[in-house]
Amino acid sequence: YILMNDLHLTGYTPFDTTNISSFDGNGYTIHIDSFNVIPSDTSTLNLALFNNVTSNTTLKNVRVNIFNGGQILADVSRYSQINIAGFAINNAGTITNCDVVAYSADGSYNSSRAYGLNVTYINGSGTSSPVYLPPNSTWQTTVSGFVNENSGSITNSRVGGDEVMVVSDEAGEGLYRLTTYSLQTFNISAQGDVAGFVGQNSGKIAASYVKNVEIDNLSEDPDKNTAGFVLTNNGSVITSYIEGVRGDKTDDDDNFTNTGSSISSANGIVAGFVYSNEDAAQIIDSYSNILISNVNEGSAAYLAAGFVYANTGYLKNCYSASQVENLKYSQMNFSGVDENGNLMTSGGRYENC
């Protein structure tokens, strides 16, 4: 299959790619204008472009625009498991040169509104008042900018960024025009376990990034974690990065740690790139450069790490330019420590980090 024009999806329900061997987005955009959040027969709510990308499927050049569809109300009275991602819930196939963005086709933006994946949790369909994930809750939620669980291959793909070039046929007579759209900050505001790119990775990720983002985890549960790129890595990540918005506080062109573009959590642990890099996992030639914040004054600085919080795997040629701060502390640590000040790196290997 090949896309020959933009698509607008309203009341959309994601599906599996079982019957799709190859799909080429061809430079066009799939606009998700709204999701179907009407209760189904299950207690699980899955929202993304695709539900399961199966092992027989290759997806390339697919752009997902969630400018409107990313404003989501999730009813915890109906769903005990809520899974939300910009591109797919699960990937076992091959994804290359795909992106998740939030842009206005007419160039108009509301300065009081956040664009991206902004999930508000409610308790009952008759209310819009938010509720917050407490400790030991009976409902669970995972939100990722691109894919929740990856066991396949993701290459040259993105969440957010500075601009996109969109194909249009406005020139007429079979002629096509490329239009450049500037992107606003891509916001991920959610609860539970939150990741900028992938939640759980047991496959391969290469040459991908999260850029120009704001990630906020509003959970009250201190056991829910947040990471700028991958939450838990059991696979391979190479030549990938996360960056915030370029700062204007200094003359340093490489400063991306400015307020208004950060990773923050109300109570849980925050890591600039990866929360946990597991035993057989590897991360190579990757970096983080974004402000990291524990938003509560009482939050301890050890609940954050500039690059990796816990590492028992292998890291090579990785660095962090992220600044870790809260109202009382400011630091630029690469790895995390526990409550006793012990590094969370038992058995981990580091090379040129």
Side-chain angles (χ1 to χ4, degrees):
Y1 297 94
I2 183 169
L3 195 62
M4 298 303 294
N5 53 263
D6 282 6
L7 293 179
H8 285 266
L9 306 176
T10 303
Y12 179 69
T13 300
F15 63 94
D16 296 348
T17 66
T18 308
N19 297 319
I20 299 174
S21 60
S22 177
F23 178 65
D24 185 348
N26 196 29
Y28 290 99
T29 301
I30 299 175
H31 304 266
I32 300 180
D33 293 327
S34 63
F35 282 104
N36 175 19
V37 294
I38 296 174
S40 64
D41 294 333
T42 72
S43 60
T44 299
L45 177 66
N46 291 332
L47 299 179
L49 177 62
F50 299 105
N51 189 31
N52 295 300
V53 178
T54 53
S55 59
N56 65 305
T57 300
T58 296
L59 304 172
K60 61 183 179 179
N61 309 321
V62 179
R63 175 180 298 117
V64 182
N65 181 19
I66 56 172
F67 179 78
N68 290 313
Q71 315 301 312
I72 297 168
L73 289 178
D75 187 354
V76 300
S77 71
R78 300 184 182 275
Y79 297 108
S80 58
Q81 182 71 46
I82 298 170
N83 305 309
I84 298 172
F87 197 86
I89 300 301
N90 302 299
N91 174 52
T94 299
I95 299 173
T96 186
N97 195 34
C98 296
D99 52 359
V100 175
V101 293
Y103 72 90
S104 169
D106 62 10
S108 61
Y109 294 90
N110 185 337
S111 60
S112 64
R113 175 181 163 188
Y115 298 98
L117 281 174
N118 298 289
V119 187
T120 300
Y121 301 82
I122 58 174
N123 191 1
S125 59
T127 179
S128 60
S129 299
V131 295
Y132 298 95
L133 182 68
N136 304 314
S137 173
T138 57
W139 53 279
Q140 302 295 318
T141 174
T142 301
V143 177
S144 305
F146 199 74
V147 168
N148 270 2
E149 295 190 14
N150 176 54
S151 59
S153 172
I154 302 173
T155 59
N156 191 32
S157 294
R158 303 156 292 279
V159 171
D162 297 319
E163 62 183 25
V164 292
M165 297 186 69
V166 177
V167 176
S168 65
D169 58 359
E170 295 174 354
E173 298 181 354
L175 299 177
Y176 296 90
R177 177 179 300 166
L178 285 176
T179 303
T180 300
Y181 291 92
S182 296
L183 298 177
Q184 304 295 305
T185 300
F186 189 97
N187 287 264
I188 302 175
S189 178
Q191 299 185 50
D193 290 320
V194 179
F197 196 70
V198 168
Q200 311 289 327
N201 177 53
S202 59
K204 297 179 180 179
I205 302 172
S208 298
Y209 67 72
V210 177
K211 189 176 184 181
N212 191 5
V213 294
E214 173 83 17
I215 303 174
D216 299 310
N217 191 333
L218 306 178
S219 300
E220 295 177 352
D221 188 349
D223 293 328
K224 301 304 178 184
N225 304 308
T226 310
F229 197 80
V230 173
L231 199 64
T232 302
N233 183 41
N234 286 285
S236 173
V237 179
I238 62 173
T239 56
S240 297
Y241 67 88
I242 174 172
E243 282 185 352
V245 177
R246 189 181 300 276
D248 55 6
K249 297 190 300 182
T250 71
D251 294 329
D252 183 358
D253 287 341
D254 294 325
N255 172 41
F256 290 82
T257 59
N258 62 314
T259 303
S261 172
S262 63
I263 308 172
S264 68
S265 175
N267 290 287
I269 294 169
V270 180
F273 192 87
V274 56
Y275 165 69
S276 179
N277 191 47
E278 303 288 318
D279 294 358
Q282 64 174 10
I283 301 175
I284 300 173
D285 297 330
S286 299
Y287 71 88
S288 62
N289 190 357
I290 191 169
L291 181 68
I292 299 169
S293 176
N294 294 112
V295 299
N296 288 340
E297 182 176 356
S299 296
Y302 60 71
L303 292 178
F307 189 85
V308 55
Y309 182 75
N311 176 47
T312 56
Y314 178 56
L315 301 177
K316 179 180 179 181
N317 299 335
C318 297
Y319 78 89
S320 170
S322 298
Q323 179 175 313
V324 181
E325 70 176 13
N326 69 1
L327 296 183
K328 291 184 177 180
Y329 305 94
S330 181
Q331 55 191 18
M332 297 182 69
N333 55 310
F334 184 86
S335 302
V337 298
D338 63 19
E339 295 181 9
N340 298 315
N342 300 310
L343 281 170
M344 301 290 290
T345 57
S346 176
R349 294 185 296 146
Y350 297 80
E351 183 175 345
N352 193 31
C353 295

